[in-house]
Amino acid sequence: DPDHEYFSDGLTEDVIADLSKIEALRVISRTTAMRFKGVPVDLGAVSRQLDVRYVLEGSARKSGSNLRITTQLVDAWIDAPLWSEKYTGTLEQTFEIQERVSRAVAEALRLRLTADDDRRLARRPTASGFVYDLYLRARRDILSFDRARLDRARDDLQRALGIVGGDPLLYAGLGMAG
């Protein structure tokens, strides 16, 4: 759903950020990963082009406050899935689901997480999944540079601040919205 694309893009960015926090794992950047968004690809060719062995694929569906996230870790050298899982939950469980995905990827790759890895994976960008959804939608609207959408972004961010109080992420969003 194009109206919810901001959410799947934000989720992609967050999973990349979470995985990059694992010291034993090298993760390509969001910018590079997003080049392949919505484009049919040959995983073997992508693997050679990016010099990676494993590719994490996924999709996110959002209906109201309900989520369904599907992920699959593929060994691109042999074109075989190592692990796949479907997660269902609510917006309030977004961070928990992201963390579960990151931990499952580490486990599938047989990586040993350090105590620092554990702490970094447990961090949350804000106190509420619902508020984070408002932030992601506001960020999408801010990047449109459309006056009406900038106004909507400010309204969403103010609404979010009313729910969780002072939050640096939301204040940063207000700064971007001008």
Side-chain angles (χ1 to χ4, degrees), residues 26-136:
R26 182 180 73 86
V27 179
I28 63 168
S29 72
R30 175 196 183 279
T31 302
T32 299
M34 294 304 271
R35 287 189 352 224
F36 301 100
K37 176 183 167 187
V39 177
V41 296
D42 174 321
L43 287 183
V46 169
S47 168
R48 289 184 297 280
Q49 180 183 351
L50 299 177
D51 191 27
V52 298
R53 179 167 184 178
Y54 303 102
V55 175
L56 182 63
E57 300 178 311
S59 65
R61 293 179 188 88
K62 180 175 164 275
S63 177
S65 67
N66 295 314
L67 303 176
R68 182 176 185 122
I69 297 167
T70 305
T71 56
Q72 176 174 274
L73 184 65
V74 178
D75 183 331
W77 288 3
I78 60 173
D79 195 22
L82 289 178
W83 161 86
S84 64
E85 190 63 58
K86 292 179 186 172
Y87 300 91
T88 57
T90 66
L91 281 176
E92 286 305 317
Q93 296 169 312
T94 300
F95 304 132
E96 176 188 321
I97 292 169
Q98 286 174 203
E99 183 178 345
R100 287 173 54 204
V101 169
S102 298
R103 290 181 185 282
V105 168
E107 185 177 315
L109 294 173
R110 295 188 169 103
L111 300 176
R112 189 175 303 228
L113 297 179
T114 67
D116 285 341
D117 292 335
D118 279 330
R119 277 191 295 281
R120 286 189 292 262
L121 288 176
R123 285 189 192 133
R124 306 294 189 245
T126 190
S128 159
F130 176 73
V131 164
Y132 193 57
D133 181 59
L134 287 171
Y135 167 77
L136 290 175

